[in-house]
Amino acid sequence: MRVKMATNGERASGAQTKAGKDGGRLRLAIAGFGTVGSAVARILIEQGAASPFELSYILNRRIAKKRVEWMPTSVRWTEEIDEVLDSDIDVLVELVGGLNPAGTWVRRALASGKSVVTANKELIAAEGVELSELACRHRQHLAYGASVAGGVPVLSGLQEGLAGDELVSVSGILNGTCNYILTRMEQAGISFADALVEAQRAGFAEADPSADVDGSDARAKITILSRVALGADVALDTVLCRSIRAVSAVDLRYAAELGCTIRQISHAEVKEDGLHIAVQPMLVERGLPHAGVVGPQNIVVSTGRYGGEATFSGNGAGGGPTAVAVVSDLIALARLGTTSSESMSPTLRKMVTSKEFVMPHYTRYLVRDRPGILAAISQVLATYAINVDAVLQLPGHSREALPFAITLEPSNQQALDAAMAEIGKLHFLVQPPLCLPILRKRA
Ligand SMILES: NC(=O)c1ccc[n+]([C@@H]2O[C@H](COP(=O)([O-])OP(=O)(O)OC[C@H]3O[C@@H](n4cnc5c(N)ncnc54)[C@H](OP(=O)(O)O)[C@@H]3O)[C@@H](O)[C@H]2O)c1
């Protein structure tokens, strides 16, 4: 089943460029003159006289600090959203981010007959369904092509380019910060903490990196992708989300021994019992497209019932690439005109998330060495009917903190969680065990 959602203004094929309410150029206000907002403004201004847009307002707090000399004098700077929403603009370009006040502004804009283009994954993941319905009720557009994978046109590619297929799964690397950190840990053999500091120095991680490394940023994106690609309406807080903080350099060494690397993978798949959806670090077999993605790049791989796999990759963040996605949404919207002539309300299935993942797993234990450790762990695994595949132990570690790995045959996620909780209580463990699914090439 394919969904009908407005990701980039719903391009009508062959449609001529339409314009604002009075037949002139589309009048825009940019709310949020930060990394993306200023990059969008630059592109619009550099389009010159041929542009189908007229940038009317820039809204930001403390505008005195924001003003730039390259902004034409015709553009009005303001700190007041009322001034923007009471004006004759056609489109609010929301680039403030977060749920509030962005959500309130978007709702007010749609209700007052203005279309909205946004890059706000947090807002769209949490409230996108209701906002699309609101846009539909007011015959306006809500476009958010920049909210997933920045400059990679994945939402429009899935929604339009693959409209003829029935997509059954979508997976990818959706967080460049995690990918940069894991790549550096692998390349330089450094710890998570050191790779994080490097990422912060290189500008790829925030001072507070939690949203990235603990998975909530990617969780928002896979929720949006599931909606657009799979037609699945799933509650954000039911999506399994695991941090990459527990991954250590030794895990990347063991992964290499197993012909794999480690990546933060976001995955959603329609199964008979519901939607399998998760964001977590996984071992990824070399040769899979995800394994070749290094540094802050993004990738999305979709699988369709008729067409098989399609891959989208590129710069998932940054002012320039994200601004391109925003302007592309605006161009699509200019082609359509500002008033929606057809239902833009998504046709979605409410789906429950299933915890019945059955996958092979990598487990790693850090122990104080003593006899009987393997027997004790194997006994717990056997209690939960989990079969061991292989045991790995690399030399050169202290007996007081000895890491070794056990790979497991495909096993049920819930049984595995219970087994790991039990193993975590064994007195010889220095820290809780790490348990990562292994993504292998399909046979
Ligand atoms: N940056 C990326 O690579 C990227 C990629 C994909 C999607 N996005 C999304 O794009 C949106 C914008 O991101 P960004 O990186 O451009 O963020 P940013 O650099 O922090 O810019 C946000 C701007 O909004 C202003 N702002 C924040 N709260 C405000 C308020 N209450 N009233 C008025 N102005 C306010 C900020 O002003 P101050 O300077 O005073 O704080 C800042 O100028 C977010 O939704 C983000 O998730 C970003």
Side-chain angles (χ1 to χ4, degrees):
M1 187 192 82
R2 304 287 295 120
V3 266
K4 193 104 182 91
M5 284 197 73
T7 54
N8 72 345
E10 301 225 343
R11 277 161 223 219
S13 64
Q16 296 301 302
T17 297
K18 295 187 186 174
K21 295 178 186 88
D22 61 3
R25 300 197 293 171
L26 278 184
R27 283 177 294 258
L28 314 178
I30 294 177
F33 195 68
T35 307
V36 182
S38 57
V40 169
R42 245 198 201 282
I43 295 177
L44 295 174
I45 285 158
E46 288 176 12
Q47 284 177 339
S51 173
F53 309 109
E54 181 184 324
L55 181 55
S56 302
Y57 285 92
I58 301 282
L59 176 139
N60 209 94
R61 59 192 170 200
R62 298 183 289 272
I63 49 172
K65 286 190 184 163
K66 291 281 170 179
R67 285 179 190 276
V68 286
E69 88 295 336
W70 48 266
M71 192 64 71
T73 50
S74 57
V75 178
R76 224 178 138 80
W77 291 80
T78 180
E79 296 179 7
E80 301 300 327
I81 190 65
D82 288 347
E83 184 182 349
V84 172
L85 296 180
D86 290 345
S87 75
D88 61 356
I89 60 152
D90 301 297
V91 186
L92 177 70
V93 184
E94 185 280 302
L95 297 168
V96 165
L99 294 179
N100 270 309
T104 309
W105 294 356
V106 167
R107 278 187 288 277
R108 284 186 58 196
L110 292 171
S112 63
K114 297 167 194 335
S115 287
V116 172
V117 171
T118 179
N120 192 334
K121 66 209 125 197
E122 210 183 336
L123 180 65
I124 295 301
E127 299 173 29
V129 175
E130 295 90 310
L131 291 174
S132 289
E133 283 165 3
L134 184 67
C136 176
R137 275 205 302 284
H138 292 279
R139 301 177 63 77
Q140 298 302 315
H141 298 282
L142 171 68
Y144 47 87
S147 63
V148 177
V152 187
V154 59
L155 292 184
S156 57
L158 290 169
Q159 188 181 36
E160 295 161 37
L162 293 173
D165 208 341
E166 180 183 322
L167 300 181
V168 290
S169 78
V170 60
S171 73
I173 292 174
L174 302 176
N175 185 276
T177 305
C178 286
N179 212 54
Y180 179 89
I181 290 171
L182 291 168
T183 307
R184 287 300 298 149
M185 287 172 71
E186 181 175 37
Q187 289 170 342
I190 56 178
S191 67
F192 168 81
D194 288 346
L196 172 60
V197 170
E198 254 194 35
Q200 284 165 327
R201 287 202 187 117
F204 292 125
E206 306 271 343
D208 175 3
S210 346
D212 293 317
V213 301
D214 296 335
S216 63
D217 172 83
R219 182 178 61 172
K221 294 170 182 168
I222 193 70
T223 303
I224 299 170
L225 272 177
S226 308
R227 224 178 263 160
V228 171
L230 309 175
D233 181 7
V234 60
L236 187 62
D237 58 6
T238 63
V239 177
L240 178 77
C241 191
R242 290 193 167 132
S243 178
I244 65 161
R245 288 182 202 262
V247 176
S248 66
V250 77
D251 297 310
L252 284 145
R253 287 179 60 204
Y254 279 126
E257 292 287 315
L258 294 163
C260 298
T261 184
I262 299 179
R263 295 285 183 260
Q264 185 209 47
I265 300 292
S266 304
H267 181 83
E269 186 167 359
V270 179
K271 295 274 193 183
E272 276 172 13
D273 62 334
L275 187 71
H276 289 195
I277 180 166
V279 174
Q280 57 190 329
M282 288 172 87
L283 263 70
V284 181
E285 191 175 358
R286 297 246 169 243
L288 281 169
H290 310 74
V293 179
V294 293
Q297 296 279 297
N298 280 195
I299 189 168
V300 173
V301 181
S302 67
T303 310
R305 186 173 160 202
Y306 303 102
E309 280 189 359
T311 302
F312 306 81
S313 64
N315 290 323
T322 310
V324 168
V326 170
V327 176
S328 300
D329 273 354
L330 286 167
I331 290 170
L333 209 144
R335 288 201 189 109
L336 285 167
T338 50
T339 306
S340 174
S341 57
E342 57 178 302
S343 169
M344 305 266 294
S345 186
T347 311
L348 298 173
R349 288 175 285 181
K350 278 254 180 244
M351 288 189 90
V352 290
T353 53
S354 161
K355 296 210 165 34
E356 297 294 312
F357 296 101
V358 177
M359 292 186 84
H361 281 77
Y362 160 92
T363 59
R364 190 260 297 148
Y365 310 86
L366 194 63
V367 298
R368 274 180 293 276
D369 198 15
R370 42 150 279 190
I373 287 177
L374 265 182
I377 292 175
S378 304
Q379 198 178 351
V380 177
L381 293 172
T383 311
Y384 289 93
I386 297 167
N387 287 333
V388 169
D389 176 39
V391 179
L392 289 89
Q393 188 179 327
L394 289 169
H397 292 280
S398 146
R399 294 194 61 199
E400 286 309 300
L402 182 72
F404 69 93
I406 302 178
T407 56
L408 306 173
E409 289 182 1
S411 30
N412 173 287
Q413 182 73 47
Q414 280 177 322
L416 209 50
D417 288 347
M420 289 300 124
E422 209 165 302
I423 291 170
K425 292 180 197 149
L426 296 174
H427 64 279
F428 49 75
L429 278 173
V430 175
Q431 59 180 220
L434 177 73
C435 179
L436 308 178
I438 305 175
L439 191 63
R440 293 219 179 268
K441 285 180 251 179
R442 283 174 207 265

